[in-house]
Amino acid sequence: GLQLAVIRVDGKNNYIFPFLLEKGKYTATITRPAANEDGAKAKNSFLVANIGGESEQRIYNYFNLIRQEANIKQQELQSAYFSAEEPARKDSIHQLFMDYQKTVEERELALVKANPDAYATAFHLYNNVIQGLGIEAMKEKYDLLGEKGKASRYGKKIEEQIQLLENVAVGRIAPGFKLAAPDGDSLSLHGVSAKVKIIDFWASWCGPCRAENPKVLEIYAEYQPKGLEIIGVSLDTDRDAWLKAIADDQLTWKQCFDPTGNIATRYGVAAIPHTFLLDENNKIIDKNLNSHSLKQRLSGLLD
């Protein structure tokens, strides 16, 4: 069967070129992109790999080519945007950027539709497309695969991801978990009783999480007497850093520690901060609310 392999460039830690190893001959050429039109060497010029192989690798190369071209083009548009003086010029460059992004998506979609059963297609969708998508968008991408594509290793991984998100969809009972609390005891989600519960995924190293904390403190002070409980689930791996952040931000709600990230994975959390709003029966009633929308929701539920 197919095997994912990588070419690593010695002394260049960040240069790893994945390719799909199947029976047949391969040739790999690694170069730097040519100089810009004005003859200047591309700033931060990076290595590009051209790996010739059999049919799966050829399809995978097309996906990579679309992405490589997109990166170069988008970098050019970005620097043009930042060096533009007039607002009208900035607007037109922004529009070009959005239009180009749409073109890239259309090119990728055409390639997916032309090769629905290729291992390379499922691999590309799993690694480059579905991460961070909502469940409906993810299903849409998954449905572009043919039967063979869905049965492939990465087709199955996408299916697993969909199942995972379905388990924590609005209307479902939040999966139970038991994690260590700051005092060393364990804290169980379903063991906490409250009219409304918030699961708050965060970490000491997450700037946006720390910025939300003071606002959430105000919400907690207002709504805890009315039946709100918050369970902070930290993705820190360093216990001391986690405890220091709780003390520094003067967090007063319940906290627990998920250093392996297993619970975050089970909840389909791709980025933090990420919140889940539960009713008294642990049913998920909303998710991923910031402090502003959280306050609005709570006033409707508890006031």
Side-chain angles (χ1 to χ4, degrees), residues 45-72:
S45 141
F46 46 85
L47 300 178
V48 174
N50 180 7
I51 303 169
E54 300 304 310
S55 61
E56 289 285 357
Q57 181 59 32
R58 284 202 295 276
I59 296 164
Y60 184 54
N61 280 343
Y62 280 125
F63 281 119
N64 281 342
L65 198 62
I66 293 169
R67 289 274 157 141
Q68 277 172 7
E69 281 178 11
N71 283 343
I72 294 166

Side-chain angles (χ1 to χ4, degrees), residues 68-136:
Q68 277 172 7
E69 281 178 11
N71 283 343
I72 294 166
K73 179 80 171 165
Q74 285 169 339
Q75 275 172 5
E76 282 170 11
L77 287 170
Q78 226 164 353
S79 60
Y81 178 86
F82 287 117
S83 57
E85 302 285 329
E86 312 82 37
R89 174 91 183 115
K90 272 193 185 307
D91 286 349
S92 73
I93 294 168
H94 177 69
Q95 193 52 53
L96 279 173
F97 190 92
M98 300 305 282
D99 291 346
Y100 184 71
Q101 211 159 336
K102 213 169 170 197
T103 307
V104 170
E105 282 167 19
E106 281 164 5
R107 286 176 69 192
E108 284 194 342
L109 186 63
L111 192 52
V112 168
K113 284 180 172 174
N115 303 282
D117 280 317
Y119 182 98
T121 302
F123 178 78
H124 168 76
L125 286 179
Y126 179 75
N127 282 299
N128 301 324
V129 178
I130 68 148
Q131 306 305 332
L133 286 183
I135 191 162
E136 291 313 319

Side-chain angles (χ1 to χ4, degrees), residues 196-214:
V196 175
K197 287 192 245 188
I198 295 166
I199 307 172
D200 174 29
F201 287 94
W202 74 294
S204 68
W205 44 259
C206 160
C209 305
R210 303 292 294 270
E212 281 280 87
N213 278 343

Side-chain angles (χ1 to χ4, degrees), residues 43-290:
K43 200 176 163 203
N44 299 331
S45 141
F46 46 85
L47 300 178
V48 174
N50 180 7
I51 303 169
E54 300 304 310
S55 61
E56 289 285 357
Q57 181 59 32
R58 284 202 295 276
I59 296 164
Y60 184 54
N61 280 343
Y62 280 125
F63 281 119
N64 281 342
L65 198 62
I66 293 169
R67 289 274 157 141
Q68 277 172 7
E69 281 178 11
N71 283 343
I72 294 166
K73 179 80 171 165
Q74 285 169 339
Q75 275 172 5
E76 282 170 11
L77 287 170
Q78 226 164 353
S79 60
Y81 178 86
F82 287 117
S83 57
E85 302 285 329
E86 312 82 37
R89 174 91 183 115
K90 272 193 185 307
D91 286 349
S92 73
I93 294 168
H94 177 69
Q95 193 52 53
L96 279 173
F97 190 92
M98 300 305 282
D99 291 346
Y100 184 71
Q101 211 159 336
K102 213 169 170 197
T103 307
V104 170
E105 282 167 19
E106 281 164 5
R107 286 176 69 192
E108 284 194 342
L109 186 63
L111 192 52
V112 168
K113 284 180 172 174
N115 303 282
D117 280 317
Y119 182 98
T121 302
F123 178 78
H124 168 76
L125 286 179
Y126 179 75
N127 282 299
N128 301 324
V129 178
I130 68 148
Q131 306 305 332
L133 286 183
I135 191 162
E136 291 313 319
M138 209 181 276
K139 281 179 176 172
E140 219 171 88
K141 299 294 180 197
Y142 177 69
D143 285 339
L144 294 170
L145 293 173
E147 268 177 52
K148 202 175 155 195
K150 284 177 177 170
S152 71
R153 185 180 171 203
Y154 287 93
K156 283 180 184 157
K157 276 178 175 279
I158 298 171
E159 192 183 6
E160 279 165 25
Q161 199 70 25
I162 289 168
Q163 189 54 59
L164 218 123
L165 286 185
E166 281 187 332
N167 289 342
V168 289
V170 170
R172 300 295 287 262
I173 297 295
F177 56 80
K178 201 177 261 195
L179 290 169
D183 59 8
D185 279 350
S186 64
L187 183 131
S188 147
L189 171 70
H190 290 177
V192 173
S193 58
K195 281 187 190 167
V196 175
K197 287 192 245 188
I198 295 166
I199 307 172
D200 174 29
F201 287 94
W202 74 294
S204 68
W205 44 259
C206 160
C209 305
R210 303 292 294 270
E212 281 280 87
N213 278 343
K215 300 168 197 164
V216 179
L217 266 168
E218 286 174 25
I219 291 170
Y220 190 59
E222 186 179 344
Y223 286 102
Q224 196 265 343
K226 297 176 182 177
L228 170 69
E229 202 42 80
I230 302 176
I231 296 101
V233 179
S234 161
L235 270 60
D236 280 287
T237 49
D238 178 341
R239 192 169 184 276
D240 292 339
W242 167 53
L243 295 175
K244 185 178 184 309
I246 293 171
D248 288 352
D249 293 3
Q250 297 176 353
L251 305 181
T252 48
W253 54 83
K254 295 180 186 299
Q255 294 288 345
C256 54
F257 190 45
D258 182 23
T260 60
N262 285 346
I263 304 304
T265 302
R266 199 191 303 170
Y267 272 77
V269 173
I272 51 174
H274 198 109
T275 53
F276 287 82
L277 193 61
L278 318 183
D279 70 7
E280 58 195 329
N281 302 312
N282 296 300
K283 189 166 85 177
I284 298 167
I285 47 179
D286 215 332
K287 58 207 274 191
N288 218 9
L289 302 168
N290 62 19

